Amino acid sequence: MGYLMTWRELWVMAVGFDPPVTHFSSVTSAILVYLLALLFCYIFYQLSRILLPRFLQEYVLDFFKTMAFCTYCFGHGVIRNAHGHLAYILCVVPLNTASVFIFNLGDGTPLMVWLKYLQKQIPAWKFLAKVTAQIMAGLCSWELGHLIFRLDFHPSFVEKVESQANCSTDLNVATVTGFALETVAVTYDFWLDQQTLSRYMPLDLALKILNCAIIVCLGLHLTGMYLHPAMATGHTFGCGPTPILSHILVYWGGPFIGIYIGLKLGQMFHLPTSTTTKSQQPIKTTQNGDHGDSIVKKAEQNGHHSGEVRNRILSIGCSTASSCPAPSFPQISKGCPLKCESLTDTTNPRRKRCRHLGKLIKKTRTSGRDMGAFMTWRELWSMSVGFDPPMTHFSSVTSAVLIYLLVLLLCYVLYKLSKTFLPGFIQEYVLDFFKTLAFCTYCFGHGVVRNAHGHLGYILCMVPLNTASVLIFNLGDGTPLTVWAKYLRGQIPTWKFVVKVSAQIVAGFCAWELGHFILGLDFHPSFADKLGKKANCNSDLRIAAIAGFFLEGTGVAYDFWMNQQTLSKTKALDIAMKFTNTALVVCIGVRMTGMYIHPAMVTGRTIGCGDTPILSHLLVYWAGPFVGIFVGLKASQIYSLPFNKDTPVKEYKKGDDSLGTKKKNVISGKVRQRKVKKDETT
């Protein structure tokens, strides 16, 4: 493949000086392998879901899902060689349990495809197409794993790269013996995969992955115990003295027969904990072996489900000569001053209520102040690697990117967990919360970029970030304005409107705390000053309240009207163009009202701040945008851009955030859940 730079050379290119270490420990090196494999495959996995046509998407998802789990074995090999089977199990169980939920679509092993074919869920041609894609993924995982080895994280990586062309087989027993071992292992593992070991699905999944990891450890030195035909072929096909027919018999024939036998046994015998009804129907399950991806559907028994069996993928660290050969800031607790006019007239009932509300909000805003001292990124660095970092602060752009990544990672992980585990009656509101939290917290990064590079820097960061985030957070509402638009159209009842907006307001307040917590990591020199001013927050309303009302209302009306149009037939480009329009609107009004165009965000950040009365805040940042949505909705029904006239109307679907109108003469376009991030000028 030619020369590839090591991680040390990449470090020098990035920061301009030599790294303080040459190699990492075995555990750190394995984790880096896992993260790189997961990141690479997941990015292309998500892009395939978003961009590819449906007829091709299924096979590409199979490819990247299989590739991820087949590449994990390179990290498992490093762990096993250094710390033995126990360390391997401690790594593979949490890693693969999490990965099953991350790669939640597609088939990750030929065994699952074979099971679908046996159950007549797919035709023969689709079986061949999907297995072909998975075999290609197994071969590509071999190249990807050695590409990561060339980064030279660990001293053993050089030897492994040099031995890449001289691969050795893992079949260390006679062909018939290997065939029997793989068959029995897959049969038992697949049978157990159909049982219910725990009613709590993640625990059930982890227990089954644990069982599979133990099987791998027992048979590793005999056949490699792959239980995953595509992985075995990608890593050992044509290696050593093993004939091709022996390879096919052991790693394909044995597991395929094991799936058939395990399926029949699963229909006849169940563990006592799995027998929850008098007549339990056979569990329709798909299993992949050892490294395999056991994707199991719910069993249906007399109208209810028997329990979740997991989509399990184990990827082993192959033995001997194969692909994985053997040998602080101070505490801050100050209130945010609130002024409701002068509050001198205590006889005025309105001012009494305003004073009481102000005290309540002040108490709310200061309740999270006493969180103890922050640890800076430098202290976390020293704790992690054992030496001081070579720099004190990062540039403005790097600091903003770090904020974006931390916010996106935190909110997306919690967002995905909520989709997976929460019951349906509460899930919708929790998804709204985390989606709103992400977009409201981005503004801390936008403020850093705007202060350093002006409006242009803000636009260049905001547009791609928010476009990608809209595609990632594809369920739920991230702003009260989309909920209000749905309410105006009669798509949700009043009680749901109130609950969803309440969840978003709470997210706005949490974004204020999360943003300052990240500022406490001290990536940039300006962060300390911003933390010091946290308690003395300032209002962004710098004009009269009535003028602010019209400015915010007009901005929202125009932006919402534009949002109803179709600017491009390519969804991502259409979203990006509309975000560019929104960013320009923000830049025009940011010095007058902050031009939030997002009521929950502005309430979480500025209510009770400065001299702005509560009523003025509500008038400008809630009433103005709500009136703007109403005006923009009516305007889109009266007039649309000329090139939208032949575009079919996009009807609202449950779970869809687009705000397309249903009038036949109105073109809705592909509308994104828009979050406007405003400059942090405190």
mmCIF file of all heavy atoms in Angstrom, residues 18 40 50 58-59 68 76 78 112 144 194 207 246 259 262 300 318 332 339 380 397 413 416 520 604 664 668 682:
data_model
loop_
_atom_site.group_PDB
_atom_site.id
_atom_site.type_symbol
_atom_site.label_atom_id
_atom_site.label_comp_id
_atom_site.label_asym_id
_atom_site.label_seq_id
_atom_site.Cartn_x
_atom_site.Cartn_y
_atom_site.Cartn_z
ATOM 1 N N ASP A 18 7.246 17.323 18.564
ATOM 2 C CA ASP A 18 7.249 15.874 18.749
ATOM 3 C C ASP A 18 6.389 15.459 19.942
ATOM 4 O O ASP A 18 6.334 16.161 20.959
ATOM 5 C CB ASP A 18 8.690 15.383 18.980
ATOM 6 C CG ASP A 18 9.546 15.538 17.733
ATOM 7 O OD1 ASP A 18 8.976 15.491 16.626
ATOM 8 O OD2 ASP A 18 10.773 15.712 17.872
ATOM 9 N N PHE A 40 -14.683 5.055 11.587
ATOM 10 C CA PHE A 40 -14.621 4.947 10.128
ATOM 11 C C PHE A 40 -15.881 4.283 9.578
ATOM 12 O O PHE A 40 -16.540 4.798 8.668
ATOM 13 C CB PHE A 40 -13.374 4.147 9.726
ATOM 14 C CG PHE A 40 -13.249 3.910 8.250
ATOM 15 C CD1 PHE A 40 -12.661 4.860 7.431
ATOM 16 C CD2 PHE A 40 -13.708 2.730 7.669
ATOM 17 C CE1 PHE A 40 -12.550 4.641 6.061
ATOM 18 C CE2 PHE A 40 -13.598 2.503 6.310
ATOM 19 C CZ PHE A 40 -13.015 3.469 5.505
ATOM 20 N N ILE A 50 -28.325 7.839 4.678
ATOM 21 C CA ILE A 50 -28.895 9.133 4.317
ATOM 22 C C ILE A 50 -28.905 9.358 2.807
ATOM 23 O O ILE A 50 -29.892 9.863 2.249
ATOM 24 C CB ILE A 50 -28.102 10.261 5.010
ATOM 25 C CG1 ILE A 50 -28.263 10.164 6.530
ATOM 26 C CG2 ILE A 50 -28.533 11.636 4.516
ATOM 27 C CD1 ILE A 50 -27.339 11.077 7.303
ATOM 28 N N GLU A 58 -29.467 -1.363 1.401
ATOM 29 C CA GLU A 58 -29.459 -2.551 2.252
ATOM 30 C C GLU A 58 -28.115 -3.277 2.205
ATOM 31 O O GLU A 58 -27.584 -3.695 3.232
ATOM 32 C CB GLU A 58 -30.574 -3.491 1.799
ATOM 33 C CG GLU A 58 -30.673 -4.783 2.590
ATOM 34 C CD GLU A 58 -31.833 -5.651 2.145
ATOM 35 O OE1 GLU A 58 -32.508 -5.281 1.159
ATOM 36 O OE2 GLU A 58 -32.054 -6.700 2.784
ATOM 37 N N TYR A 59 -27.542 -3.393 1.023
ATOM 38 C CA TYR A 59 -26.303 -4.153 0.870
ATOM 39 C C TYR A 59 -25.093 -3.356 1.374
ATOM 40 O O TYR A 59 -24.142 -3.938 1.900
ATOM 41 C CB TYR A 59 -26.124 -4.549 -0.597
ATOM 42 C CG TYR A 59 -27.374 -5.191 -1.150
ATOM 43 C CD1 TYR A 59 -28.220 -4.494 -2.010
ATOM 44 C CD2 TYR A 59 -27.739 -6.475 -0.772
ATOM 45 C CE1 TYR A 59 -29.385 -5.078 -2.489
ATOM 46 C CE2 TYR A 59 -28.904 -7.067 -1.241
ATOM 47 C CZ TYR A 59 -29.727 -6.353 -2.110
ATOM 48 O OH TYR A 59 -30.882 -6.923 -2.555
ATOM 49 N N ALA A 68 -17.079 -3.349 10.354
ATOM 50 C CA ALA A 68 -16.748 -2.853 11.693
ATOM 51 C C ALA A 68 -16.434 -4.001 12.637
ATOM 52 O O ALA A 68 -15.398 -4.012 13.308
ATOM 53 C CB ALA A 68 -17.904 -2.014 12.234
ATOM 54 N N HIS A 76 -8.768 -6.838 19.660
ATOM 55 C CA HIS A 76 -8.876 -7.959 20.595
ATOM 56 C C HIS A 76 -7.560 -8.732 20.679
ATOM 57 O O HIS A 76 -7.181 -9.213 21.754
ATOM 58 C CB HIS A 76 -9.991 -8.913 20.143
ATOM 59 C CG HIS A 76 -11.356 -8.302 20.176
ATOM 60 N ND1 HIS A 76 -11.718 -7.338 21.088
ATOM 61 C CD2 HIS A 76 -12.462 -8.529 19.410
ATOM 62 C CE1 HIS A 76 -12.984 -7.001 20.884
ATOM 63 N NE2 HIS A 76 -13.448 -7.706 19.878
ATOM 64 N N VAL A 78 -4.534 -7.583 20.374
ATOM 65 C CA VAL A 78 -3.572 -6.850 21.203
ATOM 66 C C VAL A 78 -3.870 -7.083 22.685
ATOM 67 O O VAL A 78 -2.965 -7.342 23.494
ATOM 68 C CB VAL A 78 -3.622 -5.345 20.875
ATOM 69 C CG1 VAL A 78 -2.668 -4.565 21.775
ATOM 70 C CG2 VAL A 78 -3.272 -5.100 19.407
ATOM 71 N N MET A 112 -26.747 -14.777 9.720
ATOM 72 C CA MET A 112 -28.064 -14.190 9.848
ATOM 73 C C MET A 112 -28.801 -14.204 8.510
ATOM 74 O O MET A 112 -30.009 -14.434 8.448
ATOM 75 C CB MET A 112 -27.963 -12.769 10.372
ATOM 76 C CG MET A 112 -29.277 -12.253 10.897
ATOM 77 S SD MET A 112 -29.376 -10.460 10.945
ATOM 78 C CE MET A 112 -29.485 -10.099 9.214
ATOM 79 N N LEU A 144 -8.156 -2.771 6.341
ATOM 80 C CA LEU A 144 -8.356 -1.663 7.279
ATOM 81 C C LEU A 144 -7.606 -1.907 8.584
ATOM 82 O O LEU A 144 -6.980 -0.986 9.135
ATOM 83 C CB LEU A 144 -9.853 -1.488 7.557
ATOM 84 C CG LEU A 144 -10.217 -0.411 8.600
ATOM 85 C CD1 LEU A 144 -9.732 0.961 8.155
ATOM 86 C CD2 LEU A 144 -11.728 -0.387 8.842
ATOM 87 N N GLN A 194 -31.603 -17.953 21.355
ATOM 88 C CA GLN A 194 -33.058 -17.892 21.228
ATOM 89 C C GLN A 194 -33.768 -17.878 22.573
ATOM 90 O O GLN A 194 -34.988 -17.739 22.626
ATOM 91 C CB GLN A 194 -33.553 -19.090 20.408
ATOM 92 C CG GLN A 194 -32.981 -19.108 19.001
ATOM 93 C CD GLN A 194 -33.333 -20.395 18.277
ATOM 94 O OE1 GLN A 194 -34.450 -20.557 17.805
ATOM 95 N NE2 GLN A 194 -32.399 -21.313 18.215
ATOM 96 N N LEU A 207 -25.234 -10.896 28.375
ATOM 97 C CA LEU A 207 -25.035 -12.268 28.834
ATOM 98 C C LEU A 207 -24.775 -13.206 27.658
ATOM 99 O O LEU A 207 -23.942 -14.115 27.744
ATOM 100 C CB LEU A 207 -26.263 -12.730 29.618
ATOM 101 C CG LEU A 207 -26.467 -12.088 31.002
ATOM 102 C CD1 LEU A 207 -27.811 -12.492 31.580
ATOM 103 C CD2 LEU A 207 -25.335 -12.477 31.944
ATOM 104 N N SER A 246 -11.172 -27.347 2.482
ATOM 105 C CA SER A 246 -11.194 -27.493 3.937
ATOM 106 C C SER A 246 -11.662 -26.203 4.601
ATOM 107 O O SER A 246 -12.451 -26.220 5.558
ATOM 108 C CB SER A 246 -9.801 -27.870 4.455
ATOM 109 O OG SER A 246 -9.401 -29.128 3.964
ATOM 110 N N ILE A 259 -26.484 -23.500 12.301
ATOM 111 C CA ILE A 259 -27.663 -22.634 12.365
ATOM 112 C C ILE A 259 -28.932 -23.458 12.169
ATOM 113 O O ILE A 259 -29.931 -23.285 12.889
ATOM 114 C CB ILE A 259 -27.574 -21.530 11.293
ATOM 115 C CG1 ILE A 259 -26.509 -20.499 11.667
ATOM 116 C CG2 ILE A 259 -28.923 -20.845 11.102
ATOM 117 C CD1 ILE A 259 -26.863 -19.644 12.860
ATOM 118 N N GLY A 262 -29.438 -25.619 15.333
ATOM 119 C CA GLY A 262 -29.810 -24.758 16.452
ATOM 120 C C GLY A 262 -31.228 -24.236 16.329
ATOM 121 O O GLY A 262 -31.938 -24.087 17.331
ATOM 122 N N GLU A 300 -42.967 -14.418 18.829
ATOM 123 C CA GLU A 300 -44.357 -14.077 19.031
ATOM 124 C C GLU A 300 -45.093 -15.292 19.556
ATOM 125 O O GLU A 300 -45.097 -16.339 18.937
ATOM 126 C CB GLU A 300 -44.967 -13.596 17.720
ATOM 127 C CG GLU A 300 -44.240 -12.380 17.206
ATOM 128 C CD GLU A 300 -44.881 -11.840 15.962
ATOM 129 O OE1 GLU A 300 -45.893 -12.418 15.552
ATOM 130 O OE2 GLU A 300 -44.357 -10.882 15.430
ATOM 131 N N CYS A 318 -7.752 -12.958 16.586
ATOM 132 C CA CYS A 318 -7.357 -14.238 16.033
ATOM 133 C C CYS A 318 -6.012 -14.663 16.608
ATOM 134 O O CYS A 318 -5.220 -13.844 17.014
ATOM 135 C CB CYS A 318 -7.280 -14.133 14.527
ATOM 136 S SG CYS A 318 -8.666 -13.228 13.855
ATOM 137 N N ILE A 332 -18.078 28.713 41.625
ATOM 138 C CA ILE A 332 -18.834 29.924 41.299
ATOM 139 C C ILE A 332 -20.254 29.737 41.799
ATOM 140 O O ILE A 332 -20.908 28.773 41.445
ATOM 141 C CB ILE A 332 -18.840 30.178 39.781
ATOM 142 C CG1 ILE A 332 -17.404 30.346 39.288
ATOM 143 C CG2 ILE A 332 -19.671 31.378 39.431
ATOM 144 C CD1 ILE A 332 -17.301 30.468 37.801
ATOM 145 N N LYS A 339 -34.074 42.281 37.024
ATOM 146 C CA LYS A 339 -34.761 43.538 37.304
ATOM 147 C C LYS A 339 -36.053 43.555 36.500
ATOM 148 O O LYS A 339 -36.046 43.338 35.311
ATOM 149 C CB LYS A 339 -33.894 44.741 36.922
ATOM 150 C CG LYS A 339 -32.648 44.864 37.777
ATOM 151 C CD LYS A 339 -31.869 46.100 37.428
ATOM 152 C CE LYS A 339 -30.632 46.249 38.283
ATOM 153 N NZ LYS A 339 -29.835 47.426 37.947
ATOM 154 N N LEU A 380 -7.200 16.787 33.138
ATOM 155 C CA LEU A 380 -7.690 15.497 32.647
ATOM 156 C C LEU A 380 -6.624 14.798 31.812
ATOM 157 O O LEU A 380 -6.460 13.569 31.884
ATOM 158 C CB LEU A 380 -8.956 15.710 31.815
ATOM 159 C CG LEU A 380 -10.186 16.209 32.584
ATOM 160 C CD1 LEU A 380 -11.315 16.542 31.613
ATOM 161 C CD2 LEU A 380 -10.644 15.157 33.578
ATOM 162 N N VAL A 397 -10.756 28.285 16.562
ATOM 163 C CA VAL A 397 -11.451 27.286 15.743
ATOM 164 C C VAL A 397 -11.388 25.912 16.398
ATOM 165 O O VAL A 397 -12.397 25.200 16.493
ATOM 166 C CB VAL A 397 -10.855 27.244 14.320
ATOM 167 C CG1 VAL A 397 -11.467 26.102 13.519
ATOM 168 C CG2 VAL A 397 -11.079 28.574 13.610
ATOM 169 N N VAL A 413 -25.494 10.324 22.146
ATOM 170 C CA VAL A 413 -25.487 9.055 22.880
ATOM 171 C C VAL A 413 -26.755 8.924 23.724
ATOM 172 O O VAL A 413 -27.441 7.891 23.704
ATOM 173 C CB VAL A 413 -24.228 8.953 23.763
ATOM 174 C CG1 VAL A 413 -24.353 7.787 24.730
ATOM 175 C CG2 VAL A 413 -22.982 8.773 22.899
ATOM 176 N N LYS A 416 -29.821 8.415 21.437
ATOM 177 C CA LYS A 416 -29.952 7.041 20.931
ATOM 178 C C LYS A 416 -30.387 6.088 22.036
ATOM 179 O O LYS A 416 -31.210 5.182 21.804
ATOM 180 C CB LYS A 416 -28.629 6.572 20.329
ATOM 181 C CG LYS A 416 -28.237 7.282 19.050
ATOM 182 C CD LYS A 416 -29.178 6.976 17.916
ATOM 183 C CE LYS A 416 -29.001 5.559 17.403
ATOM 184 N NZ LYS A 416 -29.828 5.296 16.211
ATOM 185 N N GLY A 520 -15.577 25.293 31.389
ATOM 186 C CA GLY A 520 -14.689 25.025 32.512
ATOM 187 C C GLY A 520 -13.509 24.148 32.158
ATOM 188 O O GLY A 520 -12.522 24.096 32.904
ATOM 189 N N GLY A 604 -33.517 29.982 28.238
ATOM 190 C CA GLY A 604 -32.495 29.306 29.022
ATOM 191 C C GLY A 604 -31.253 30.146 29.230
ATOM 192 O O GLY A 604 -30.542 29.991 30.229
ATOM 193 N N LYS A 664 -52.957 22.406 -1.438
ATOM 194 C CA LYS A 664 -52.503 21.915 -2.733
ATOM 195 C C LYS A 664 -51.705 22.967 -3.475
ATOM 196 O O LYS A 664 -50.892 22.644 -4.314
ATOM 197 C CB LYS A 664 -53.707 21.484 -3.565
ATOM 198 C CG LYS A 664 -54.368 20.233 -3.014
ATOM 199 C CD LYS A 664 -55.478 19.766 -3.932
ATOM 200 C CE LYS A 664 -56.111 18.487 -3.412
ATOM 201 N NZ LYS A 664 -57.196 18.000 -4.272
ATOM 202 N N SER A 668 -44.332 22.596 0.188
ATOM 203 C CA SER A 668 -43.697 22.539 1.500
ATOM 204 C C SER A 668 -42.199 22.433 1.428
ATOM 205 O O SER A 668 -41.490 22.931 2.260
ATOM 206 C CB SER A 668 -44.237 21.343 2.289
ATOM 207 O OG SER A 668 -43.791 20.153 1.694
ATOM 208 N N THR A 682 -21.277 37.302 26.020
ATOM 209 C CA THR A 682 -21.043 37.648 27.431
ATOM 210 C C THR A 682 -19.566 37.654 27.734
ATOM 211 O O THR A 682 -18.791 36.978 27.092
ATOM 212 C CB THR A 682 -21.760 36.633 28.330
ATOM 213 O OG1 THR A 682 -21.242 35.340 28.044
ATOM 214 C CG2 THR A 682 -23.241 36.691 28.106
#
